[in-house]
């Protein structure tokens, strides 16, 4: 694998929402037969064609990091988990459409990963309300994925989808709702597949931009393709 041809995307959300199932589907285009409890952190890779169909097309390795655990963990556990949050390029926030709590917890997950989980009294508490400013200056691309769409009765779909649309808007993110046990939801050419591809393109485009919006010195597409300046730089 050539240096710098990979990006790191965190997959965050409560236990049981379907992260392992989703990652398996994203990386292998197959349903995960027998999901087992994720211990610690697991990483899988999706091969992505950046700017597919254009002269700039290039294959990237998208590492999907499924960190696992609970957002309500003790501070000591959270700080251990924080090592996985280094050098992240994007975040997929996963919630279970049948479980409102898992949606609410996405605020806490994202704040934790973006290193803003600071004040215990701050944004996290107030019954679902939180400070939009917290996400205003975020430069890391986010995608919100709702799982278990198949478990929502037809009569409740509109209500649930309205709720998730607001959630995605809060994160300034695109959203995809699906059933992780059915690969049809991500079929090539479907609107979900297009959204997904656009998200990964954005992650790749923004990978040299720091959290505060500044460019990492010396890192740009021009440099990368223009000369051998970065040849000796390895990322692992
Ligand atoms: N019906 C249905 N079940 C799902 C879906 N996504 C995940 N599951 C099931 O939910 C359970 C937890 O999934 P898992 O991927 O292990 O969740 P994780 O703890 O977030 O990694 C498993 O039994 C999955 O088969 C979905 O979209 N629809
Ligand atoms: Mg898991």
């Amino acid at each position: 694998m050539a240096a710098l041809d990979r990006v790191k995307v965190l997959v965050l959300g409560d236990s049981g929402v379907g992260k392992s199932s989703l990652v398996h589907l994203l990386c292998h285009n197959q349903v995960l037969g027998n999901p087992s409890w994720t211990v610690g952190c697991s990483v899988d890779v999706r091969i992505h064609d950046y700017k597919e169909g254009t002269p700039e097309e290039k294959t990237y390795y998208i590492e999907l990091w499924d960190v696992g655990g609970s957002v309500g963990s003790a501070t000591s556990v959270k700080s251990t988990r924080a090592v996985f949050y280094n050098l992240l390029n994007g975040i997929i926030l996963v919630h279970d459409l049948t479980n409102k709590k898992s949606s609410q917890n996405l605020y806490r997950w994202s704040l934790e990963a973006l290193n803003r989980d600071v004040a215990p009294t701050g944004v996290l508490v107030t019954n679902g309300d939180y400070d939009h400013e917290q996400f205003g200056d975020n430069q890391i691309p986010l995608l919100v994925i709702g799982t278990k769409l198949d478990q929502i009765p037809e009569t409740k779909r509109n209500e649930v989808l309205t709720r998730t649309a607001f959630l995605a808007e809060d994160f300034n993110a695109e959203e995809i709702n699906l059933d992780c046990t059915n690969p049809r939801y991500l079929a090539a050419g479907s609107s979900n597949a297009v959204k997904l591809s656009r998200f990964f393109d954005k992650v790749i485009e923004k990978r040299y931009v720091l959290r505060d919006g500044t460019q990492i010195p010396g890192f740009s597409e021009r440099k990368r393709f223009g000369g051998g300046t970065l040849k000796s730089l390895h990322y692992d």
Side-chain angles (χ1 to χ4, degrees):
M1 216 181 275
L4 297 176
D5 287 352
R6 57 199 221 200
V7 292
K8 172 174 173 180
V9 173
L10 286 179
V11 180
L12 297 178
D14 290 355
S15 290
V17 294
K19 298 182 299 300
S20 298
S21 307
L22 174 73
V23 167
H24 193 83
L25 186 60
L26 291 177
C27 297
H28 307 283
N29 286 321
Q30 260 177 14
V31 172
L32 178 60
N34 186 15
S36 56
W37 194 253
T38 309
V39 179
C41 172
S42 74
V43 183
D44 212 338
V45 174
R46 176 182 167 95
I47 294 176
H48 173 70
D49 290 321
Y50 174 65
K51 295 203 172 170
E52 195 174 9
T54 73
E56 293 149 275
E57 179 168 339
K58 181 168 161 43
T59 302
Y60 278 84
Y61 301 89
I62 313 272
E63 294 176 355
L64 294 169
W65 289 56
D66 173 357
V67 174
S70 158
V71 78
S73 302
T75 312
S76 58
V77 175
K78 284 188 187 176
S79 53
T80 311
R81 208 152 59 199
V83 300
F84 299 121
Y85 300 153
N86 280 334
L87 296 171
L88 64 92
N89 304 112
I91 303 177
I92 297 178
L93 296 167
V94 189
H95 64 127
D96 171 348
L97 297 172
T98 68
N99 175 350
K100 268 191 193 170
K101 186 75 194 162
S102 75
S103 314
Q104 279 306 318
N105 279 341
L106 291 185
Y107 297 109
R108 305 176 60 175
W109 277 115
S110 59
L111 292 173
E112 182 182 317
L114 296 169
N115 279 333
R116 309 215 176 132
D117 189 17
V118 273
T121 49
V123 287
L124 310 180
V125 269
T126 58
N127 52 5
D129 249 351
Y130 75 105
D131 184 358
H132 286 252
E133 296 298 311
Q134 287 286 328
F135 296 99
D137 63 344
N138 171 44
Q139 296 292 322
I140 305 275
L142 305 175
L143 176 68
V144 176
I145 295 194
T147 61
K148 311 196 187 180
L149 186 58
D150 55 305
Q151 306 277 303
I152 308 286
E154 201 57 56
T155 50
K156 286 209 130 194
R157 280 210 175 180
N158 277 345
E159 180 194 323
V160 171
L161 297 182
T162 305
R163 178 165 65 78
T164 68
F166 279 115
L167 184 76
E169 197 179 310
D170 279 349
F171 289 112
N172 190 22
E174 288 277 7
E175 65 160 346
I176 292 175
N177 295 308
L178 50 54
D179 167 9
C180 300
T181 65
N182 186 345
R184 248 185 338 126
Y185 283 88
L186 294 176
S190 64
S191 69
N192 286 344
V194 171
K195 271 187 201 171
L196 199 60
S197 181
R198 255 198 257 126
F199 169 69
F200 289 134
D201 275 5
K202 193 167 157 192
V203 168
I204 290 164
E205 248 151 45
K206 290 204 164 192
R207 72 199 179 286
Y208 298 131
V209 178
L210 291 176
R211 283 175 189 172
D212 64 1
T214 54
Q215 187 92 9
I216 300 176
F219 284 72
S220 71
E221 278 303 319
R222 199 163 36 79
K223 271 245 169 81
R224 219 163 77 72
F225 292 114
T229 36
L230 294 176
K231 274 220 178 87
S232 61
L233 200 141
H234 283 268
Y235 188 38
D236 45 15

